[in-house]
Amino acid sequence: MALKDFLVVVDDTPASAARLDLAARIATRCDAHLTALYAFTDMVFPGYIEAEIPQELRESQRQSRKDQTDRMAAAFDEAMRHHGLTDRSEWLAQEGDPTITAAVRGRYADLIVVGQPDPDRDRDQPVAQPADLLFE
Protein backbone atom coordinates (compact mmCIF):
# COMPACT_ATOMS: atom_id res chain seq x y z
CA MET A 1 0.00 0.00 0.00
CA ALA A 2 1.40 3.37 -0.99
CA LEU A 3 1.42 6.26 1.45
CA LYS A 4 0.26 9.33 -0.46
CA ASP A 5 -1.41 11.71 2.02
CA PHE A 6 0.44 12.91 5.12
CA LEU A 7 -0.75 15.18 7.91
CA VAL A 8 1.70 16.98 10.18
CA VAL A 9 0.39 18.72 13.28
CA VAL A 10 2.27 21.96 13.84
CA ASP A 11 2.13 24.29 16.81
CA ASP A 12 4.11 27.14 18.28
CA THR A 13 6.58 24.95 20.19
CA PRO A 14 10.28 24.81 19.23
CA ALA A 15 9.96 21.11 18.27
CA SER A 16 7.38 21.93 15.61
CA ALA A 17 10.03 22.96 13.06
CA ALA A 18 11.80 19.61 13.39
CA ARG A 19 8.48 17.78 13.08
CA LEU A 20 7.66 19.71 9.91
CA ASP A 21 11.10 19.00 8.46
CA LEU A 22 10.76 15.27 9.18
CA ALA A 23 7.29 15.11 7.61
CA ALA A 24 8.51 17.00 4.54
CA ARG A 25 11.48 14.66 4.09
CA ILE A 26 9.24 11.58 4.33
CA ALA A 27 6.68 13.13 1.95
CA THR A 28 9.42 13.90 -0.55
CA ARG A 29 10.74 10.35 -0.35
CA CYS A 30 7.25 8.86 -0.83
CA ASP A 31 6.14 11.43 -3.44
CA ALA A 32 3.21 12.23 -1.14
CA HIS A 33 0.98 15.23 -0.50
CA LEU A 34 1.68 16.95 2.83
CA THR A 35 -0.92 18.88 4.81
CA ALA A 36 0.11 20.92 7.82
CA LEU A 37 -2.55 21.48 10.45
CA TYR A 38 -2.27 24.37 12.89
CA ALA A 39 -5.16 24.06 15.35
CA PHE A 40 -5.68 26.68 18.01
CA THR A 41 -8.18 27.63 20.67
CA ASP A 42 -8.81 30.83 22.51
CA MET A 43 -8.90 30.73 26.26
CA VAL A 44 -12.37 29.89 27.51
CA PHE A 45 -13.63 31.85 30.47
CA PRO A 46 -16.82 31.42 32.48
CA GLY A 47 -19.62 33.66 31.20
CA TYR A 48 -19.48 36.02 34.17
CA ILE A 49 -15.78 36.70 33.49
CA GLU A 50 -16.19 36.80 29.70
CA ALA A 51 -18.67 39.65 30.04
CA GLU A 52 -16.09 41.74 31.90
CA ILE A 53 -13.30 41.44 29.30
CA PRO A 54 -12.98 44.71 27.36
CA GLN A 55 -13.52 44.60 23.60
CA GLU A 56 -10.04 46.08 23.04
CA LEU A 57 -8.47 43.09 24.80
CA ARG A 58 -10.50 40.67 22.70
CA GLU A 59 -9.41 42.42 19.51
CA SER A 60 -5.80 42.38 20.70
CA GLN A 61 -6.00 38.63 21.31
CA ARG A 62 -7.50 38.04 17.86
CA GLN A 63 -4.78 40.12 16.21
CA SER A 64 -2.07 38.29 18.17
CA ARG A 65 -3.52 34.92 17.08
CA LYS A 66 -3.67 36.10 13.45
CA ASP A 67 -0.04 37.27 13.59
CA GLN A 68 1.04 33.93 15.07
CA THR A 69 -0.89 32.02 12.40
CA ASP A 70 0.69 34.15 9.65
CA ARG A 71 4.19 33.45 11.05
CA MET A 72 3.46 29.73 11.17
CA ALA A 73 2.14 29.77 7.58
CA ALA A 74 5.25 31.61 6.37
CA ALA A 75 7.51 29.05 8.07
CA PHE A 76 5.50 26.26 6.43
CA ASP A 77 5.78 27.88 2.99
CA GLU A 78 9.53 28.25 3.44
CA ALA A 79 9.92 24.61 4.46
CA MET A 80 7.88 23.46 1.46
CA ARG A 81 10.06 25.54 -0.90
CA HIS A 82 13.16 24.06 0.71
CA HIS A 83 11.92 20.49 0.16
CA GLY A 84 10.38 21.13 -3.26
CA LEU A 85 6.84 20.40 -2.11
CA THR A 86 5.12 23.64 -3.03
CA ASP A 87 2.85 21.87 -5.53
CA ARG A 88 2.06 18.97 -3.17
CA SER A 89 1.40 20.74 0.12
CA GLU A 90 -1.43 22.48 1.91
CA TRP A 91 -1.66 24.72 4.98
CA LEU A 92 -4.70 24.49 7.27
CA ALA A 93 -5.27 26.80 10.21
CA GLN A 94 -8.35 25.75 12.11
CA GLU A 95 -9.90 26.90 15.35
CA GLY A 96 -10.66 24.04 17.72
CA ASP A 97 -9.14 21.62 20.15
CA PRO A 98 -5.86 20.43 18.57
CA THR A 99 -6.40 16.76 19.46
CA ILE A 100 -9.95 16.58 18.12
CA THR A 101 -9.10 18.61 15.03
CA ALA A 102 -6.09 16.41 14.27
CA ALA A 103 -8.17 13.27 14.80
CA VAL A 104 -10.86 14.42 12.37
CA ARG A 105 -8.36 15.57 9.72
CA GLY A 106 -6.25 12.48 10.31
CA ARG A 107 -9.05 10.23 9.10
CA TYR A 108 -8.23 11.39 5.58
CA ALA A 109 -4.46 10.87 5.86
CA ASP A 110 -2.32 7.79 5.46
CA LEU A 111 0.15 9.01 8.09
CA ILE A 112 -0.06 11.57 10.91
CA VAL A 113 3.12 13.15 12.26
CA VAL A 114 2.56 14.58 15.72
CA GLY A 115 4.94 15.46 18.53
CA GLN A 116 5.01 14.62 22.18
CA PRO A 117 3.81 17.32 24.55
CA ASP A 118 6.54 19.20 26.39
CA PRO A 119 5.92 18.87 30.15
CA ASP A 120 7.34 22.39 30.67
CA ARG A 121 5.03 24.10 28.14
CA ASP A 122 2.42 26.70 28.92
CA ARG A 123 -0.62 24.73 30.03
CA ASP A 124 -3.00 27.44 28.78
CA GLN A 125 -2.20 26.55 25.16
CA PRO A 126 -3.44 23.02 24.37
CA VAL A 127 -1.46 20.85 21.97
CA ALA A 128 -2.42 17.62 20.21
CA GLN A 129 -2.10 14.60 22.48
CA PRO A 130 -0.64 11.62 20.57
CA ALA A 131 -2.14 8.99 22.87
CA ASP A 132 -5.62 10.46 22.40
CA LEU A 133 -5.20 10.47 18.60
CA LEU A 134 -4.79 6.70 18.64
CA PHE A 135 -8.22 6.12 20.12
CA GLU A 136 -10.18 9.07 18.77
Side-chain angles (χ1 to χ4, degrees):
M1 180 175 108
L3 301 176
K4 292 297 177 187
D5 285 307
F6 294 172
L7 175 69
V8 59
V9 180
V10 297
D11 50 41
D12 54 2
T13 62
S16 183
R19 189 177 325 129
L20 180 58
D21 183 62
L22 172 69
R25 284 188 283 132
I26 296 171
T28 301
R29 187 175 302 149
C30 295
D31 193 31
H33 180 269
L34 178 62
T35 301
L37 173 64
Y38 178 58
F40 57 90
T41 59
D42 287 328
M43 292 177 61
V44 178
F45 296 104
Y48 62 90
I49 294 176
E50 186 76 30
E52 299 298 322
I53 297 175
Q55 186 63 28
E56 297 82 30
L57 181 59
R58 293 175 201 219
E59 290 300 322
S60 173
Q61 286 179 322
R62 282 189 198 103
Q63 186 60 43
S64 176
R65 176 62 68 195
K66 182 184 179 315
D67 294 345
Q68 174 67 20
T69 302
D70 291 345
R71 283 191 299 274
M72 298 291 295
F76 171 75
D77 289 341
E78 178 60 33
M80 295 306 99
R81 275 193 293 279
H82 176 75
H83 290 282
L85 289 171
T86 54
D87 60 334
R88 294 176 309 197
S89 61
E90 177 182 5
W91 169 258
L92 290 174
Q94 191 168 357
E95 186 171 358
D97 179 87
T99 302
I100 294 171
T101 305
V104 170
R105 291 288 178 176
R107 291 182 181 135
Y108 305 101
D110 297 318
L111 177 72
I112 302 175
V113 179
V114 63
Q116 293 180 325
D118 180 1
D120 298 326
R121 77 184 192 294
D122 181 5
R123 300 277 188 229
D124 291 336
Q125 296 298 324
V127 295
Q129 301 294 321
D132 293 342
L133 284 175
L134 291 173
F135 302 107
E136 186 65 35

